């Protein structure tokens, strides 16, 4: 028996990146003393009002098929939020709900790309992008955002990577793992390239509300981008709702129609009681995200303060998100060896950031999704590990 070549295309290196995390989860389940900083899953409980909205919807019998792109009220609520953020008209027809941002990214890729297309990705990039893009048959063209440049993009390098086959630029803004948020000139430069070369931009904004020191600027807000910018986001990070799998795509109505057709074949839409919870989440959006942002900012600063003066390490302060990149090159270990030895010798699980692309080789990614005490202890163990090398 044989499988389709599709299975090869979705088996990227990113899949193996999670090995250390899976080992840590197993160790934790066995009751071993581990601190899992290898995944971006907030430790907060989902705010009670949101959970309550879902429970009430279930009790009220909201257990049947729901509209595939999402119910009008939810689509409209999302359209209203983005109309305010981007200062341009938006309607329910610009929105399709999805089973988390990942499902939204996959559906977007399948509806926009085909074999022979080239897609520019800015590395480091989120680990699922490789498989998500390759699933469509398109080819990734990797443009490095070098560590020496603070992992910021070089618009000239993006320009140089564009060929007649280029169809899209795929990026996360804010970025995971680097926490870089595009500044106004970077947003403008990418928008100009997209318009000049008639490209789609797929902008993954799952960390949009966790931006600390700078304002988040979306490519979708730039004049001329409405018809070519596809924004993907979710409640996973903003509302500590990773397990609820509520996400969406914001795009021009033609693409939304195609994504709806694909969702019909893949998910048959987001369950109705989750849509009710999503509406409740949007209702308290600013209140919830303001609180979360404050806690994450404090934790970020705690990690920076705890590891900032650790010999042989350099810690990068992220502008956004829930991750810190730590440069381990001066320890003499590769980032993969560092991560595995740290885990085996101290129980602290971090990810080798090279899994996110070659520019992040020599860095490990720590998530600050645990409380202050655990983070402090994790930093203490990391310091002890490095000092003992
Ligand atoms: C950049 C980025 N995009 C997408 C996702 C997936 O988000 P969701 O849980 O909404 O599918 C993640 C999760 O970590 C992420 O970091």
């Amino acid at each position: 028996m044989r499988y389709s070549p599709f299975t090869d295309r979705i088996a990227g290196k990113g899949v193996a990146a999670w090995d250390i995390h899976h080992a840590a989860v197993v160790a934790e389940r066995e009751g071993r003393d581990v601190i899992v900083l290898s995944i971006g899953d907030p430790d907060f409980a989902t705010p009670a009002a949101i959970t309550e909205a879902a429970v009430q919807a279930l009790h009220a019998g909201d257990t049947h098929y729901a509209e595939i792109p999402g119910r009008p009220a939810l689509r409209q609520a999302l359209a209203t939020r983005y109309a305010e953020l981007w200062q341009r008209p938006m309607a329910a027809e610009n929105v399709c709900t999805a089973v988390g941002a990942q499902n939204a990214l996959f559906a977007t890729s399948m509806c926009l790309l085909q074999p022979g297309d080239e897609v520019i990705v800015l590395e480091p990039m989120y680990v699922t992008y490789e498989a998500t893009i390759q699933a469509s048959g398109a080819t990734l063209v990797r443009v490095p955002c070098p560590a020496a440049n603070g992992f910021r993009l070089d618009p000239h390098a993006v320009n140089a990577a564009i060929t007649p086959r280029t169809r899209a630029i795929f990026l996360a803004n804010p970025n995971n793992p680097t926490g870089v948020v595009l500044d106004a000139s970077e947003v403008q430069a990418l928008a100009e390239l997209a318009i000049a070369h008639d490209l789609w931009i797929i902008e993954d904004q799952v960390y949009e509300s966790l931006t600390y020191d700078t304002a988040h600027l979306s490519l979708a807000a730039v004049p001329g981008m409405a018809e070519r910018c596809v924004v993907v986001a979710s409640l996973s990070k903003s509302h500590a709702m990773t397990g609820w799998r509520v996400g969406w795509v914001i795009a021009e109505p033609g693409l939304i129609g195609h994504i709806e057709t694909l969702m019909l074949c893949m998910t048959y839409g987001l369950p109705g009681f989750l849509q009710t919870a999503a509406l409740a989440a949007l209702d308290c959006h600013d209140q919830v995200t303001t609180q979360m942002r404050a806690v994450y900012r404090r934790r970020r600063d705690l990690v920076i303060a705890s590891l900032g003066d650790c010999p042989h390490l350099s810690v990068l302060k992220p502008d956004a998100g829930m991750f810190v990149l730590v440069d381990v090159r001066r320890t003499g270990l590769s980032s993969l060896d560092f991560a595995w030895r740290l885990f085996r010798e101290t129980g602290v699980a971090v990810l080798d950031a090279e899994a996110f692309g070659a520019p992040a080789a020599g860095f490990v990614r720590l998530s600050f999704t645990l409380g202050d005490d655990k983070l402090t202890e994790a930093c203490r163990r990391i310091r002890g590990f490095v000092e003992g090398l």
Side-chain angles (χ1 to χ4, degrees):
M1 303 303 292
R2 68 174 177 82
Y3 301 112
S4 146
F6 174 82
T7 56
D8 295 327
R9 297 204 301 272
I10 57 173
K13 287 193 298 292
V15 180
W18 299 109
D19 287 353
I20 197 164
H21 175 68
H22 297 315
V25 170
V26 169
E28 193 173 43
R29 205 180 300 134
E30 287 167 353
R32 285 170 45 206
D33 175 22
V34 293
I35 304 179
V36 182
L37 302 183
S38 40
I39 195 164
D41 194 353
D43 58 329
F44 306 118
T46 298
I50 302 172
T51 306
E52 192 51 36
V55 170
Q56 279 180 20
L58 283 169
H59 283 308
D62 192 356
T63 53
H64 299 271
Y65 292 129
E67 285 94 325
I68 302 217
R71 290 183 175 144
L74 177 57
R75 296 174 79 192
Q76 188 54 55
L78 284 163
T80 303
R81 178 169 142 69
Y82 285 105
E84 278 167 19
L85 282 175
W86 301 339
Q87 294 292 298
R88 65 172 163 88
M90 299 279 298
E93 291 67 34
N94 293 105
V95 180
C96 185
T97 59
V99 184
Q102 182 50 48
N103 172 229
L105 288 167
F106 189 86
T108 302
S109 165
M110 296 305 278
C111 289
L112 292 185
L113 308 171
Q114 61 178 340
D117 287 345
E118 290 176 0
V119 178
I120 292 181
V121 290
L122 303 178
E123 279 197 323
M125 64 172 177
Y126 181 52
V127 281
T128 64
Y129 287 3
E130 183 181 20
T132 300
I133 294 167
Q134 286 180 176
S136 70
T139 306
L140 279 82
V141 175
R142 297 160 196 271
V143 175
C145 300
N149 194 27
F151 293 112
R152 303 207 75 91
L153 75 91
D154 172 1
H156 300 294
V158 178
N159 188 29
I162 296 174
T163 75
R165 289 178 177 273
T166 308
R167 186 145 172 83
I169 302 175
F170 219 90
L171 75 156
N173 177 32
N175 182 283
N176 172 9
T178 64
V180 167
V181 180
L182 296 184
D183 65 23
S185 67
E186 291 163 336
V187 165
Q188 192 59 35
L190 283 179
E192 281 170 16
L193 286 175
I195 292 168
H197 297 276
D198 196 19
L199 307 177
W200 291 99
I201 295 231
I202 297 98
E203 187 178 26
D204 176 346
Q205 296 191 359
V206 296
Y207 299 101
E208 173 237 316
S209 66
L210 289 179
T211 303
Y212 304 115
D213 305 318
T214 48
H216 180 264
L217 304 171
S218 174
L219 278 139
V222 179
M225 292 302 288
E227 69 268 34
R228 63 182 66 256
C229 187
V230 183
V231 167
V232 167
S234 73
L235 297 176
S236 290
K237 315 287 176 167
S238 59
H239 290 67
M241 290 177 66
T242 50
W244 295 69
R245 314 304 305 130
V246 178
W248 53 83
V249 185
I250 313 287
E252 52 84 26
L255 175 60
I256 292 296
H258 295 306
I259 289 179
E260 174 180 349
T261 310
L262 180 55
M263 293 301 185
L264 174 73
C265 318
M266 282 176 76
T267 63
Y268 221 91
L270 196 61
F273 64 94
L274 294 179
Q275 296 197 39
T276 303
L279 257 180
L282 291 175
D283 271 352
C284 57
H285 187 280
D286 291 352
Q287 185 198 335
V288 168
T289 55
T290 303
Q291 283 169 7
M292 298 232 176
R293 201 167 37 248
V295 176
Y296 282 123
R297 181 189 277 116
R298 198 189 63 228
R299 290 178 178 179
R300 175 196 66 165
D301 294 345
L302 184 157
V303 173
I304 306 270
S306 307
L307 291 180
D309 61 348
C310 181
H312 309 306
L313 298 185
S314 308
V315 190
L316 257 77
K317 189 175 186 182
D319 294 332
M322 42 182 69
F323 308 105
V324 173
L325 281 185
V326 180
D327 183 348
V328 302
R329 287 175 292 187
R330 282 181 290 121
T331 62
L333 296 177
S334 73
S335 37
L336 185 66
D337 288 344
F338 183 97
W340 277 106
R341 277 191 58 185
L342 178 73
F343 175 59
R344 292 195 180 108
E345 294 174 32
T346 72
V348 176
V350 299
L351 278 194
D352 168 19
E354 191 172 358
F356 298 83
F363 289 76
V364 295
R365 192 196 74 169
L366 267 81
S367 57
F368 38 96
T369 45
L370 295 179
D372 295 8
D373 292 349
K374 283 219 167 119
L375 280 179
T376 305
E377 172 60 13
C379 292
R380 193 190 64 75
R381 292 187 195 184
I382 292 170
R383 181 184 279 274
F385 169 73
V386 172
E387 283 169 356
L389 282 173

